[in-house]
Amino acid sequence: DTAVSQTPKYLVTQMGNDKSIKCEQNLGHDTMYWYKQDSKKFLKIMFSYNNKELIINETVPNRFSPKSPDKAHLNLHINSLELGDSAVYFCASSAGAWVGYTFGSGTRLTVV
Amino acid sequence: GQQLNQSPQSMFIQEGEDVSMNCTSSSIFNTWLWYKQEPGEGPVLLIALYKAGELTSNGRLTAQFGITRKDSFLNISASIPSDVGIYFCAGHSQGGSEKLVFGKGTKLTVNP
């Protein structure tokens, strides 16, 4: 059983399109995250939800909108995609940041 | 914001050699974590450290929580080809937000 699963694994789309990435965790964790990993492999936090409530919202364009229908799911919707949005997006979950995160395997988004 | 300086940025070694990498911060952390990311996958937690001076091993990996609480080290002994990947340090401050601060990673290449 995959602990943190993201879909799709790969996403190629044109500029201006709207796309969504889905994430689900079966670990019973209360907190979920979205991270962006750029071409230099730097991991940058975007959002975090705790039990469906937004608790972290870093400086991210408002074209990015997370949604957490329940504590096991955290989806990311991106409007009006731009070339600079091309990156790998990781979902993660934790029982508390101090015990570490469990990451999904990532979604490679390519905007052309 | 908090930043972690991770070094070296990359390492090219021969199989069988020992590896050492470190992370430093200008501020104190209460938790240090080390992750490994393999190509096409998300980071996976290797070792978690919770006490200043703590030395923890996981197979051929050994990590230490610096006494000043501002640094941590990861050593890999007798490297093998499957050690290839990017190693990230991460820190968490008690009383801080529910997020980890990540280093920029050390890319390890092992030549057979």
Side-chain angles (χ1 to χ4, degrees), chain A residues 9 33 37 90 97-98 101, chain B residues 35 37 40 42 50 98-100:
Chain A
K9 176 77 172 173
Y33 309 81
Q37 186 173 48
F90 285 102
W98 64 91
Y101 303 158
Chain B
Y35 284 84
Q37 183 180 18
Y50 297 105
E98 260 297 312
K99 72 175 182 180
L100 298 175

Side-chain angles (χ1 to χ4, degrees), chain A residues 81-97:
Chain A
L81 278 154
E82 301 177 357
L83 292 176
D85 297 331
S86 296
V88 180
Y89 292 84
F90 285 102
C91 176
S93 72
S94 75

Side-chain angles (χ1 to χ4, degrees), chain B residues 23-93:
Chain B
C23 243
T24 59
S25 170
S26 58
S27 54
I28 289 173
F29 286 104
N30 299 99
T31 301
W32 283 95
L33 304 159
W34 285 92
Y35 284 84
K36 178 187 179 186
Q37 183 180 18
E38 297 185 4
E41 297 297 328
V44 174
L45 183 63
L46 299 172
I47 293 178
L49 302 157
Y50 297 105
K51 189 177 176 182
E54 180 181 357
L55 190 69
T56 298
S57 293
N58 178 2
R60 294 176 296 104
L61 276 63
T62 301
Q64 183 161 25
F65 192 141
I67 293 175
T68 65
R69 295 200 285 163
K70 292 183 178 181
D71 57 5
S72 180
F73 303 86
L74 176 69
N75 295 317
I76 305 173
S77 62
S79 58
I80 59 178
S82 62
D83 290 333
V84 163
I86 302 175
Y87 292 79
F88 292 97
C89 61
H92 180 258
S93 302

Side-chain angles (χ1 to χ4, degrees), chain A residues 38-87:
Chain A
D38 60 24
S39 58
K40 295 184 178 180
K41 306 300 183 184
F42 183 52
L43 286 162
K44 184 176 180 181
I45 191 167
M46 300 173 70
F47 303 103
S48 177
Y49 273 74
N50 180 273
N51 206 5
K52 302 192 296 178
E53 182 181 341
L54 180 66
I55 58 172
I56 296 174
N57 185 352
E58 295 288 301
T59 308
V60 177
N62 57 15
R63 298 182 293 105
F64 290 78
S65 53
K67 279 197 171 57
S68 181
D70 55 63
K71 75 172 194 177
H73 295 84
L74 180 61
N75 304 322
L76 183 65
H77 187 75
I78 315 170
N79 290 326
S80 303
L81 278 154
E82 301 177 357
L83 292 176
D85 297 331
S86 296

Side-chain angles (χ1 to χ4, degrees), chain A residues 29-40:
Chain A
H29 291 163
D30 284 339
T31 309
M32 296 185 73
Y33 309 81
W34 279 112
Y35 272 79
K36 179 180 180 181
Q37 186 173 48
D38 60 24
S39 58
K40 295 184 178 180

